[in-house]
Amino acid sequence: MSKAIFAEILKEKKLKITPQRIAILEELEKNGHSSVDDIFNGIKLKVPSVSLATVYKNILALQSVDILKSVKTPTHKQKYEINVKPHVHLFCKICENLEDFVINTQDFQEYCKKESGYYCIEEASVLLTGVCRNCAK
Amino acid sequence: MSKAIFAEILKEKKLKITPQRIAILEELEKNGHSSVDDIFNGIKLKVPSVSLATVYKNILALQSVDILKSVKTPTHKQKYEINVKPHVHLFCKICENLEDFVINTQDFQEYCKKESGYYCIEEASVLLTGVCRNCAK
DNA sequence: ATATGTGCAAAGGGTTTGCAGATAT
DNA sequence: ATATCTGCAAACCCTTTGCACATAT
């Protein structure tokens, strides 16, 4: 995705197009799952004046219009990603890397809804913890 | 579970049996998913001298020997539960209540492992967000 | 022109830590 | 007797907030 497309997305959501926001989105596009500090440090080159507070404010703003999603990991660091199609997270307990695995969870959700008696299930957040192929060596 | 059984479990894990720990476990048994504050307030009657720091320290201690597990919810409150058999969490976005749904995730894990090429998957943490039957009315 | 966003510094909330005294084994 | 645990207070994150100035529309 290019700057222009990010600008488009922001416009659509009625958020002003600022260099900080573009930089945050570019950073998240480059590095799949980032913490606030990752983002802050990653964009300082592009937008040297940026403050941590602005990163925080924008993460909240972008989340509230569904451009971003937060990812909860077993460690205490909150991470963020650009909201794309449903996927599962694979977390390696050795290298602590987070990997995406695109899978349609619809059937699984449907099954859980039926069996549990829940009224409706809108979202499935799945985190699988184990050992990645690299760390297995 | 009774006090005696909790004492047994602590002994097995080589943790000293203290009134604070027993109270924490009883509290978590009574109320499925509790935050640190829930626990703290819940056990103050039984152990009036207890401090927040002790609750925190014990939660860490109990987690490290797998007696407790943390549950990550979409809100920013961390919750804890006694580690039992695999289950899925259903989170109602309206009343923010967390419900357990016991389900064997083995097949699902197996499928993800095979498809993703991960070396091994030890644990599946699934959080489904939606609307519970009560709030649907 | 006006609403929104930014950056700073201060405040806030939750969690962790160091230490001296207390308790479990 | 000794290792561990507790409670207090202080320290430490990480995150949010208020405000004046800057920027996008």
Side-chain angles (χ1 to χ4, degrees), chain A residues 31-131:
Chain A
N31 302 315
H33 309 96
S34 310
S35 67
V36 170
D37 272 322
D38 294 339
I39 297 171
F40 179 60
N41 291 314
I43 69 179
K44 257 196 273 192
L45 288 167
K46 264 183 223 161
V47 196
S49 71
V50 75
S51 68
L52 248 191
T54 295
V55 176
Y56 276 109
K57 284 173 184 167
N58 280 324
I59 282 172
L60 290 181
L62 295 168
Q63 269 186 279
S64 74
V65 297
D66 285 322
I67 296 178
L68 292 194
K69 276 191 60 162
S70 78
V71 187
K72 289 162 198 308
T73 68
T75 63
H76 284 294
K77 288 179 201 153
Q78 184 77 332
K79 299 203 171 185
Y80 300 89
E81 65 184 356
I82 293 181
N83 195 7
V84 284
K85 52 185 159 182
H87 59 273
V88 158
H89 288 118
L90 297 162
F91 181 78
C92 175
K93 65 174 188 174
I94 297 178
C95 65
E96 300 199 348
N97 192 46
L98 206 55
E99 206 172 288
D100 283 345
F101 170 44
V102 177
I103 179 184
N104 187 342
T105 53
Q106 205 52 50
D107 289 351
F108 182 66
Q109 277 178 237
E110 204 47 55
Y111 171 76
C112 290
K113 176 172 172 280
K114 195 172 294 174
E115 293 294 318
S116 69
Y118 228 55
Y119 178 69
C120 83
I121 292 176
E122 295 177 2
E123 211 199 314
S125 154
V126 181
L127 180 78
L128 302 169
T129 304
V131 179

Side-chain angles (χ1 to χ4, degrees), chain B:
Chain B
M1 274 192 255
S2 67
K3 248 180 243 244
I5 294 184
F6 286 134
E8 193 72 21
I9 294 173
L10 290 170
K11 196 174 175 186
E12 205 171 280
K13 301 289 189 175
K14 298 189 187 345
L15 290 178
K16 290 195 173 165
I17 298 156
T18 67
Q20 291 85 342
R21 287 179 178 160
I22 298 291
I24 290 170
L25 292 172
E26 287 181 330
E27 180 63 26
L28 280 171
E29 183 184 38
K30 195 171 59 172
N31 303 315
H33 310 95
S34 310
S35 68
V36 170
D37 272 322
D38 294 339
I39 297 170
F40 179 58
N41 291 313
I43 68 179
K44 258 197 272 192
L45 288 169
K46 262 183 224 163
V47 197
S49 71
V50 75
S51 69
L52 248 190
T54 295
V55 176
Y56 275 109
K57 283 172 185 167
N58 280 323
I59 282 172
L60 290 180
L62 294 169
Q63 269 187 278
S64 74
V65 296
D66 284 323
I67 296 178
L68 291 194
K69 278 191 61 162
S70 77
V71 186
K72 289 163 198 307
T73 68
T75 63
H76 284 294
K77 289 179 202 155
Q78 182 78 332
K79 298 204 172 186
Y80 300 89
E81 65 183 355
I82 292 181
N83 196 7
V84 285
K85 51 185 160 181
H87 60 274
V88 158
H89 288 119
L90 297 162
F91 181 77
C92 176
K93 66 175 186 173
I94 298 178
C95 64
E96 300 200 348
N97 192 47
L98 206 55
E99 205 172 290
D100 284 345
F101 170 45
V102 176
I103 179 185
N104 188 342
T105 54
Q106 204 53 48
D107 289 351
F108 181 68
Q109 277 178 237
E110 204 48 54
Y111 170 76
C112 290
K113 176 172 172 281
K114 195 171 292 175
E115 294 295 317
S116 69
Y118 229 56
Y119 178 70
C120 84
I121 292 177
E122 294 177 2
E123 211 199 314
S125 154
V126 181
L127 180 77
L128 303 170
T129 304
V131 179
C132 71
R133 194 165 287 285
N134 239 8
C135 289
K137 293 177 202 159

